[in-house]
Amino acid sequence: MSEKNSVGIVKSKIFKCKNSLKLDCGVMLNEYELAYETYGKLNTKCDNAVLVCHALSGNHHLAGRYSSSDKYPGWWDSLIGPNKPLDTNKFFVIGVNNLGGDHGSTGPKSINPKTKKSWGSKFPIVTIQDWTSSQNELISYLGISRLSGVLGGSLGGMQAIQWSIQYPEKIKNAIVIAAAPNLTAQNIAFNEVARQAIVTDTSFNKGDYYKLGVIPKTGLRIARMLGHITYLSDDVMGRKFGRKIKKINYQYNLNTEFEIESYLNYQGDKFANEFDANTYIRMTKALDYFDPTNGNKKKLSAVFKKIKSSFLIISFTSDWRFSPKRSKEIVKALLDNNISVSYAEIIAASGHDAFLMSDDRYHDILGSYFKRMLEAK
Amino acid sequence: MSEKNSVGIVKSKIFKCKNSLKLDCGVMLNEYELAYETYGKLNTKCDNAVLVCHALSGNHHLAGRYSSSDKYPGWWDSLIGPNKPLDTNKFFVIGVNNLGGDHGSTGPKSINPKTKKSWGSKFPIVTIQDWTSSQNELISYLGISRLSGVLGGSLGGMQAIQWSIQYPEKIKNAIVIAAAPNLTAQNIAFNEVARQAIVTDTSFNKGDYYKLGVIPKTGLRIARMLGHITYLSDDVMGRKFGRKIKKINYQYNLNTEFEIESYLNYQGDKFANEFDANTYIRMTKALDYFDPTNGNKKKLSAVFKKIKSSFLIISFTSDWRFSPKRSKEIVKALLDNNISVSYAEIIAASGHDAFLMSDDRYHDILGSYFKRMLEAK
């Protein structure tokens, strides 16, 4: 997609919410800020807004660039822009950095108004419900009483589900990609290893590392390397790297021998220099906690009873983090309630990360669904 | 299986090899020691010996106990003993701790005869070929010119494959369980994350931590937690732990919330106190390097050309570390050479760890194969 279909130069904005928010953990936030961006224009009926929720390491910068010299566009630039599947000529698209995030929203690095110091370890554990509650405040502030759609992949998809449960009157369509109704034990296990790598890094200092001027890089890079393996499929790693070695012969030492090792180490180093460890921990915790059935106390079908939105669910065959089987659990519970749902299982080799790729078959389905949303208005 | 079918009280022995061994990495070991155990009696024809090779964290203590107060028997006690599938009334069974190991064989903790200090970081990187070469010395010392069988699971299975390639005249049967002809990029990736967790632990000190009186426990426990996830299947983790939480309600803090988290942390702590980090690194490196095709320079079928042994290959349906698909690659290459091979794919939920369990269907197949070995003599 050429740059001419870009939303162009964009600016990050801050929404200061003065309404207090009681978090799931019990902590009361008297006020907080959310960093957000918008693309396209809200129409006069205010019925063309699509909220895009981000995943673990994402943020509110979905599309466009901050300046002409900006090296990379927003993370979902392939999807969002004029004449792109999520067409900003027609939709008013909103990206928001989640509470607890590291990209401008109130989070562990922010100044705690009570202490005038960074929250650090004291920043509360946040949940997906806390996020949708705070996103709802932003939506109201923007003058939107009902969203045309909430879209998200992975952890973002879980937010779209939560929106449709929590605010049935305020969301017309939920587009849930590469997500699951909750984490499996294996999912939680991977998150816990990542967290343990971070919290046992001596620089973590129980989360109060800002004041010491250090970063738990060692732990963060391990967390990211591990995460990266789960985002890719065995197959795509085999195709990309296989057993390719860096030198002509084995070196027989502790250095990296295989290209896959270098790749992972590079990804780990990059991430550790960019992402905040306290935020990383909170994002993984939010994933762990998400469970609309509340530990199977209610069936998913029963939880979905009051939903009024239509759904598009997309999964990818090689995604072993949130496999198609998990998406089908959502589809089943929606069908049980006679809720309109379209489901697409895309044959893709890239694993969980496929949701970020610009595969034509995948983007065409999204494009068609967004068109239907316009026609149904 | 009751204690009466046990091999009883056993004793670990040391084989001092005075023949030098040139390792794959180029280092010459002038002499070395191998810790080993034997069960049953070598018959007068010396044709009833079965060598059992261990996996990553295993050792030479396969069966029996060191004393009557010994809490646990050897790691494959369910399989090996009088009237057990590998019947020590009939077979002479040998367990050996691999070179570089941490259970009595020459390894990183051993004294380097040149410096009179622990090898530490200077202990060479060893390969599966180095292990089979050294095991061959032990076999000769025990008066065996041809093994009735070499048996191993996982990394142990790779040693059985290597034996049949390297010493075609010296092995009649290779029993290869839950193994693969080499590691995939994903397999190597998991190993590398584990290694990075260890080498970036400040206590690791590039491998020279013995003299400092510290252990890189932080890294080792992460490595083990991660390994553990890959040994189990998503399914069995779901059945055992699911989303069970430790307390009645979520605590919303950095402590472990879910039972799977506690389990992994426990396993990690236990291992970090018991296993040597330098050995762990070398075992994972040996796994990475194993590749009889030498980076696909030769087809596996071509590599197997000179093999004279018969094979039993066993895989487990839920093993995603070394999936049945990988076992079938071995079967295919054997069939290409008209080599006798029996293959069993066991429906099992336990993942890679299934090879250590005493499932009747699995042990019956092994028992039948061992019986056939006796009859074919």
Side-chain angles (χ1 to χ4, degrees):
Chain A
M1 202 84 56
S2 79
E3 227 25 36
K4 70 175 176 182
N5 285 330
S6 167
V7 295
I9 305 298
V10 297
K11 221 179 145 178
S12 179
K13 289 168 254 189
I14 294 288
F15 161 57
K16 293 179 195 252
C17 186
K18 299 287 184 190
N19 295 335
S20 64
L21 174 65
K22 190 172 179 195
L23 302 172
D24 268 342
C25 65
V27 171
M28 183 74 88
L29 284 184
N30 291 324
E31 51 180 27
Y32 57 89
E33 297 184 350
L34 293 180
Y36 72 103
E37 285 178 21
T38 64
Y39 323 95
K41 279 183 185 161
L42 188 64
N43 62 12
T44 46
K45 283 187 180 170
C46 299
D47 68 353
N48 69 331
V50 172
L51 173 70
V52 180
C53 303
H54 69 74
L56 204 152
S57 61
N59 55 47
H60 59 294
H61 182 41
L62 309 175
R65 292 167 202 261
Y66 289 134
S67 72
S68 54
S69 61
D70 199 357
K71 208 169 164 189
Y72 299 108
W75 60 270
W76 224 346
D77 194 80
S78 63
L79 185 78
I80 301 163
N83 305 313
K84 287 184 183 174
L86 182 46
D87 189 346
T88 50
N89 288 329
K90 286 158 187 164
F91 285 102
F92 177 63
V93 179
I94 309 153
V96 56
N97 184 217
N98 287 336
L99 209 51
D102 181 33
H103 290 84
S105 292
T106 299
K109 258 187 202 163
S110 309
I111 300 301
N112 178 348
K114 278 188 195 156
T115 63
K116 313 285 181 214
K117 289 176 186 162
S118 281
W119 284 89
S121 67
K122 298 289 186 298
F123 194 83
I125 297 291
V126 283
T127 65
I128 287 183
Q129 190 167 328
D130 297 332
W131 290 340
T132 45
S133 301
S134 60
Q135 288 160 2
N136 178 48
E137 296 281 354
L138 170 64
I139 298 311
S140 301
Y141 162 78
L142 292 172
I144 299 154
S145 53
R146 191 177 184 206
L147 287 160
S148 177
V150 178
L151 159 68
S154 190
L155 178 57
M158 290 172 163
Q159 293 165 65
I161 296 172
Q162 181 61 29
W163 258 96
S164 65
I165 296 170
Q166 197 174 335
Y167 301 110
E169 311 289 346
K170 291 189 171 185
I171 163 174
K172 278 191 81 172
N173 293 278
I175 299 105
V176 178
I177 307 168
N182 60 25
L183 294 200
T184 62
Q186 191 192 60
N187 292 147
I188 296 171
F190 278 122
N191 279 349
E192 174 63 3
V193 178
R195 279 191 297 264
Q196 284 297 318
I198 293 170
V199 304
T200 59
D201 180 331
T202 47
S203 296
F204 183 66
N205 195 38
K206 292 181 180 170
D208 294 320
Y209 47 89
Y210 310 120
K211 58 185 179 191
L212 303 176
V214 292
I215 295 172
K217 275 191 197 180
T218 308
L220 255 178
R221 70 191 286 282
I222 297 297
R224 182 59 167 186
M225 289 171 81
L226 173 54
H228 220 86
I229 301 175
T230 69
Y231 306 150
L232 299 176
S233 71
D234 187 17
D235 191 30
V236 81
M237 278 180 136
R239 288 190 210 180
K240 259 192 179 170
F241 304 100
R243 295 184 52 85
K244 274 181 230 156
I245 55 174
K246 288 172 62 194
K247 308 212 168 171
I248 295 166
N249 294 306
Y250 290 145
Q251 304 306 303
Y252 296 112
N253 56 32
L254 297 198
N255 297 339
T256 55
E257 289 275 17
F258 295 90
E259 288 190 4
I260 180 64
E261 295 175 281
S262 302
Y263 172 77
L264 280 185
N265 277 285
Y266 170 79
Q267 293 292 342
D269 288 335
K270 191 165 161 267
F271 191 76
N273 282 311
E274 289 171 358
F275 208 84
D276 180 57
N278 279 320
T279 289
Y280 194 87
I281 285 171
R282 277 153 187 82
M283 296 286 154
T284 61
K285 279 277 183 185
L287 273 163
D288 288 5
Y289 287 128
F290 182 66
D291 183 12
T293 71
N294 193 14
N296 231 5
K297 284 193 189 76
K298 263 185 160 186
K299 292 276 166 210
L300 197 60
S301 303
V303 178
F304 281 1
K305 217 163 200 168
K306 287 180 185 165
I307 285 180
K308 295 193 172 174
S309 49
S310 296
F311 275 73
L312 171 63
I313 313 273
I314 298 179
S315 70
F316 300 93
T317 49
S318 60
D319 183 352
W320 61 281
R321 189 178 171 97
F322 295 145
S323 73
K325 189 182 140 208
R326 304 308 317 278
S327 281
K328 286 176 199 164
E329 290 175 32
I330 306 169
V331 172
K332 167 73 167 63
L334 291 169
L335 289 174
D336 286 344
N337 287 288
N338 203 19
I339 295 165
S340 163
V341 52
S342 301
Y343 172 63
E345 188 172 319
I346 313 271
I347 298 168
S350 314
H352 188 60
D353 260 1
F355 91 86
L356 294 166
M357 315 272 170
S358 58
D359 176 286
D360 278 347
R361 298 160 306 162
Y362 162 46
H363 275 193
D364 282 354
I365 288 168
L366 283 171
S368 298
Y369 194 85
F370 290 126
K371 259 185 205 139
R372 195 168 86 177
M373 278 164 54
L374 286 171
E375 285 159 14
K377 282 204 295 191
Chain B
M1 202 87 55
S2 79
E3 229 22 39
K4 71 177 176 182
N5 285 330
S6 167
V7 295
I9 305 298
V10 297
K11 221 180 146 177
S12 178
K13 290 167 254 189
I14 294 287
F15 161 56
K16 293 179 195 250
C17 186
K18 299 288 181 188
N19 296 336
S20 64
L21 174 64
K22 191 175 179 192
L23 303 172
D24 268 342
C25 65
V27 171
M28 182 73 87
L29 285 183
N30 291 326
E31 51 179 29
Y32 56 90
E33 297 183 352
L34 294 179
Y36 72 103
E37 285 178 20
T38 64
Y39 322 95
K41 279 184 185 161
L42 188 62
N43 62 12
T44 47
K45 283 187 179 172
C46 298
D47 67 355
N48 69 332
V50 173
L51 173 70
V52 180
C53 302
H54 67 75
L56 205 152
S57 60
N59 55 47
H60 58 294
H61 181 41
L62 309 175
R65 292 167 201 260
Y66 289 135
S67 72
S68 54
S69 62
D70 198 358
K71 209 169 164 189
Y72 300 107
W75 60 271
W76 224 345
D77 194 80
S78 62
L79 186 79
I80 301 162
N83 304 313
K84 288 184 182 174
L86 181 46
D87 188 346
T88 50
N89 288 330
K90 286 158 187 166
F91 286 103
F92 177 63
V93 179
I94 308 153
V96 56
N97 184 215
N98 287 336
L99 208 52
D102 180 34
H103 290 84
S105 291
T106 300
K109 258 187 202 163
S110 309
I111 301 299
N112 178 347
K114 278 187 196 156
T115 63
K116 314 283 180 215
K117 288 175 187 164
S118 282
W119 283 89
S121 66
K122 299 288 186 298
F123 194 84
I125 297 291
V126 283
T127 65
I128 287 183
Q129 190 168 326
D130 296 333
W131 290 340
T132 45
S133 301
S134 60
Q135 287 160 3
N136 178 50
E137 296 281 353
L138 169 65
I139 299 311
S140 300
Y141 162 78
L142 293 173
I144 300 154
S145 54
R146 192 178 183 204
L147 287 159
S148 177
V150 178
L151 159 69
S154 191
L155 178 57
M158 290 172 163
Q159 293 166 64
I161 296 172
Q162 181 60 29
W163 257 95
S164 65
I165 296 170
Q166 195 174 335
Y167 301 111
E169 311 289 347
K170 292 188 170 185
I171 163 175
K172 278 192 80 173
N173 294 277
I175 299 105
V176 178
I177 306 169
N182 60 26
L183 294 200
T184 63
Q186 191 191 60
N187 292 147
I188 296 171
F190 278 122
N191 279 348
E192 173 64 3
V193 177
R195 279 191 297 264
Q196 284 297 316
I198 294 169
V199 303
T200 59
D201 181 330
T202 48
S203 296
F204 183 65
N205 195 39
K206 293 181 181 171
D208 293 319
Y209 48 88
Y210 309 120
K211 58 185 179 190
L212 303 176
V214 293
I215 296 172
K217 273 191 198 179
T218 308
L220 254 177
R221 72 190 285 281
I222 296 296
R224 182 59 167 185
M225 288 171 81
L226 173 53
H228 220 87
I229 301 175
T230 70
Y231 306 150
L232 298 176
S233 71
D234 187 17
D235 191 30
V236 81
M237 278 181 137
R239 288 191 210 179
K240 259 191 179 170
F241 304 101
R243 295 183 52 84
K244 272 181 229 154
I245 55 175
K246 288 172 60 195
K247 308 212 167 170
I248 295 167
N249 295 306
Y250 290 145
Q251 305 305 302
Y252 296 111
N253 56 32
L254 297 197
N255 297 338
T256 54
E257 289 275 17
F258 295 90
E259 287 190 5
I260 180 64
E261 296 174 280
S262 302
Y263 172 77
L264 280 184
N265 277 285
Y266 170 79
Q267 293 293 341
D269 288 336
K270 191 165 162 267
F271 190 76
N273 282 311
E274 289 171 357
F275 207 83
D276 180 57
N278 279 320
T279 289
Y280 194 86
I281 285 171
R282 277 154 187 79
M283 296 286 153
T284 61
K285 280 276 184 186
L287 272 163
D288 288 5
Y289 287 127
F290 182 66
D291 183 12
T293 71
N294 192 14
N296 231 6
K297 285 194 189 75
K298 263 185 160 187
K299 293 275 166 213
L300 197 61
S301 303
V303 178
F304 281 2
K305 217 161 199 169
K306 288 182 183 165
I307 285 180
K308 295 193 172 175
S309 49
S310 296
F311 275 74
L312 171 63
I313 313 274
I314 298 179
S315 70
F316 301 93
T317 49
S318 60
D319 182 353
W320 60 283
R321 190 179 170 96
F322 295 146
S323 73
K325 189 182 140 207
R326 305 305 319 276
S327 281
K328 286 175 197 163
E329 290 176 32
I330 306 168
V331 172
K332 166 74 169 62
L334 291 168
L335 289 175
D336 285 344
N337 287 288
N338 203 18
I339 294 164
S340 162
V341 52
S342 302
Y343 173 63
E345 188 173 320
I346 313 271
I347 297 169
S350 315
H352 188 61
D353 261 2
F355 91 85
L356 294 166
M357 316 273 171
S358 57
D359 177 285
D360 278 348
R361 298 161 305 160
Y362 161 46
H363 276 193
D364 282 355
I365 287 167
L366 282 172
S368 297
Y369 194 85
F370 290 126
K371 258 185 207 142
R372 194 167 88 176
M373 277 165 54
L374 285 171
E375 285 159 13
K377 282 203 296 191

